[in-house]
Amino acid sequence: MTPHTHQGPLQAVLFDMDGTLVDTERLWWEAVEQVAGRPLTEADQPDVLGRPVEHTAAWLGTSIGRPAADLADELHRDFAARVRTGIVPRPGALDLLDALAAAGVPAALVTASPRAVADVVLDALGAHRFAASVTADDTARTKPAPDPYRAACRALGVDPAACVAVEDTETGVASAEAAGCAVLAVPSLAPIGTAPGRAVRESLAGVTVHELRRMVAPELRVMSWNLWLGGSEVDDHRAKQLKAVLESGADVVGLQETGGTAAQELAEALGWHHHRAGENLGVISRHPITARFGNPEVGFYGAAGVRIAVAPGREVDVWTAHLHYTPYGPYESAFDGLPAAELIAHEELRLAQMREALARIAASSREDVPVVLVGDFNCPSHLDWPDVAWPVTVAAEDAGFADSYREAHPDPVAEPGHTWSPIHPVHEDGSGRPEPQDRIDYVLHRGLTVRDARTLVTGSPRPWPDVADNDWPSDHAAVVTTFALPPR
């Protein structure tokens, strides 16, 4: 299947200047040492790094007994002279600015330095690379107050929550986070710790636009997969299952027909977390599982869920469900010719199972936590059959769940997304009748953004019963959806 993709919600990237884009922290440090007439120490960092000239001048004035205004002028002159002769872009800075321009993401300069110094740096870096610039001269308060970053967002017409600020000092980080931005911290002289909504890198070298997009809206790739009696019909099935999960790029997999032990065994082999529910259901996740939901002794059919921590302060509930396989609507339609009303009436058992799952989800969910519901529902979707309002998928939609595959591929004729069955081209009763192909496995969601969705089958599976050597160890196709979490 061809994946459906679109740009993420990153609206702008806001760069600090000194120590972040250019190696001026060292020049500023040297200028302060020159004016102070002594070497600076680590104890001086809070009053020197990331501070406006006026603050540092006032701090110096109290120790050397000179007027702050005179010291500010001297610091301006000394620092500007050093910038003109010694400016050096930080590793990766120009590459990242150019990548943002190519991706259509605007950049802004947000600095506590005065306009005169910022303009020298802008000329050196290329002023065309910046859609806006905010300096110490442009706001009543500068860093660590949020004013500079708020001013930059207003100038660009963007939402701070949809922006990443790139900073090298605790002072700048505090300013950006107070404004509501996600922060990529690239410490220059003093270390910066991690925190919710903050990433820390040693340098800008290798930082990508995709990485910055994920900071604003972290991604989660979810896979739904019926393992077909644990995979036991296929030789070396566990190794083939591991290979399929790894190649899918999934972060979390909702499993059905686990054969009891598959979730634990797969998770242990991958070094992931897992939840086993009953003999048939399980969830494996590369992200930590922080809560478990549903009846742990659920039978062969039913639903079970987990809450996973996707990123600091960002959680998602993931449920897996398996609904009863009989009576099977596509057979009743294709082989028996039943009309829509009878097909719908025969969904009573699956509908009851879905309603029970939805009730459990409602009881455990939190308003601020998105929910994903995956599974083998053993029934088609009302979005695929224009003449049959299949009640199981209608019930999920009524509960606020959207079908990720149909969001990505709205036309069921052009992109049917069949998951049943890659190994059954003909019905297994020996009659030779073509097997009805349909979409009965789903990744539904509430509160996320679909970035792409696809069905997955690896290799070219041989049809039943000659399946032992198949690379694909299931009788269902998997469904894999990549979501973006909402901005904070």
Side-chain angles (χ1 to χ4, degrees):
M1 295 296 178
T2 302
H4 168 82
T5 61
H6 60 76
Q7 299 293 340
L10 178 66
Q11 294 181 3
V13 179
L14 316 173
F15 289 91
D16 172 58
M17 184 179 77
D18 301 324
T20 301
L21 286 177
V22 290
D23 191 11
T24 53
E25 290 288 9
R26 174 183 54 83
L27 302 178
W28 173 244
W29 190 264
E30 292 171 356
V32 177
E33 286 186 324
Q34 176 67 31
V35 174
R38 66 172 177 84
L40 299 178
T41 69
E42 184 176 343
D44 299 317
Q45 288 179 353
D47 291 299
V48 176
L49 298 182
R51 293 289 190 174
V53 174
E54 290 73 19
H55 175 94
T56 303
W59 166 74
L60 275 179
T62 62
S63 62
I64 64 178
R66 291 179 53 192
D70 293 346
L71 290 170
D73 289 342
E74 189 172 347
L75 287 169
H76 274 306
R77 289 193 301 271
D78 191 291
F79 180 55
R82 293 173 188 272
V83 167
R84 291 188 186 95
T85 58
I87 189 170
V88 177
R90 298 290 291 169
L94 296 183
D95 289 341
L96 180 55
L97 285 166
D98 290 343
L100 289 167
V105 179
L109 189 73
V110 184
T111 177
S113 293
R115 172 61 62 183
V117 174
D119 285 345
V120 173
V121 174
L122 284 169
D123 288 342
L125 294 177
H128 65 280
R129 290 188 166 102
F130 300 90
S133 62
V134 175
T135 73
D137 302 334
D138 300 323
T139 57
R141 300 182 301 171
T142 189
K143 305 174 185 180
D147 304 33
Y149 280 101
R150 288 176 178 169
C153 291
R154 285 194 300 270
L156 295 172
V158 297
D159 180 359
C163 297
V164 174
V166 186
E167 275 283 356
D168 75 311
T169 66
E170 287 280 9
T171 302
V173 167
S175 173
E177 291 181 343
C181 302
V183 171
L184 173 62
V186 187
S188 56
L189 295 178
I192 299 173
T194 58
R198 183 193 308 168
V200 180
R201 290 281 295 267
E202 291 184 358
S203 101
L204 291 178
V207 174
T208 65
V209 177
H210 178 69
E211 180 180 347
L212 298 178
R213 283 198 176 106
R214 291 195 65 167
M215 290 184 62
V216 173
E219 286 184 351
L220 181 69
R221 183 167 292 177
V222 181
M223 180 176 179
S224 180
W225 198 13
N226 183 313
L227 296 182
W228 189 20
L229 302 175
S232 56
E233 298 290 336
V234 177
D235 294 341
D236 200 20
H237 56 272
R238 193 69 80 231
K240 293 173 180 178
Q241 291 166 350
L242 288 168
K243 183 173 183 287
V245 171
L246 288 171
E247 290 182 350
S248 76
D251 300 303
V252 57
V253 185
L255 300 170
Q256 309 89 42
E257 293 197 33
T258 62
T261 62
Q264 180 175 348
E265 292 175 8
L266 289 171
E268 289 176 349
L270 292 164
W272 287 14
H273 309 269
H274 82 281
H275 173 51
R276 171 181 173 176
E279 61 182 301
N280 179 44
L281 296 174
V283 179
I284 61 174
S285 171
R286 71 169 71 247
H287 299 297
I289 293 174
T290 60
R292 290 169 168 81
F293 308 121
N295 178 6
E297 302 303 324
V298 64
F300 194 79
Y301 298 107
V306 298
R307 180 165 293 158
I308 59 174
V310 178
R314 311 300 298 274
E315 293 180 309
V316 175
D317 289 352
V318 180
W319 285 75
T320 181
H322 192 201
L323 308 185
H324 206 284
Y325 78 100
T326 187
Y328 186 54
Y331 290 169
E332 294 187 314
S333 174
F335 299 155
D336 303 331
L338 295 189
E342 291 188 52
L343 295 174
I344 291 170
H346 289 180
E347 292 294 311
E348 182 177 349
L349 174 57
R350 276 185 290 270
L351 180 58
Q353 292 170 338
M354 173 56 77
R355 285 173 172 163
E356 181 181 358
L358 293 172
R360 290 186 179 274
I361 291 171
S364 65
S365 63
R366 273 191 356 222
E367 186 175 349
D368 61 328
V369 177
V371 184
V372 179
L373 170 60
V374 312
D376 171 10
F377 295 175
N378 272 311
C379 66
S381 170
H382 66 288
L383 300 177
D384 299 349
W385 289 54
D387 299 327
V388 183
W390 295 100
V392 169
T393 55
V394 169
E397 185 177 273
D398 289 344
F401 284 92
D403 185 327
S404 67
Y405 189 85
R406 275 292 157 252
E407 282 190 81
H409 308 283
D411 186 345
V413 175
E415 298 281 0
H418 294 154
T419 61
W420 180 266
S421 164
I423 66 163
H424 287 295
V426 297
H427 196 46
E428 61 181 326
D429 66 356
S431 65
R433 295 178 294 181
E435 176 76 3
Q437 302 296 303
D438 219 305
R439 189 169 69 98
I440 62 173
D441 300 82
Y442 301 89
V443 177
L444 311 182
H445 75 98
R446 189 170 66 201
L448 297 167
T449 299
V450 176
R451 287 202 168 158
D452 66 72
R454 59 194 173 96
T455 57
L456 176 65
V457 175
T458 58
S460 301
R462 285 178 290 277
W464 175 264
D466 185 23
V467 298
D469 291 331
N470 280 350
D471 290 331
W472 184 250
S474 177
D475 56 349
H476 287 245
V479 185
V480 182
T481 298
T482 302
F483 294 107
L485 274 66
R488 291 179 181 276

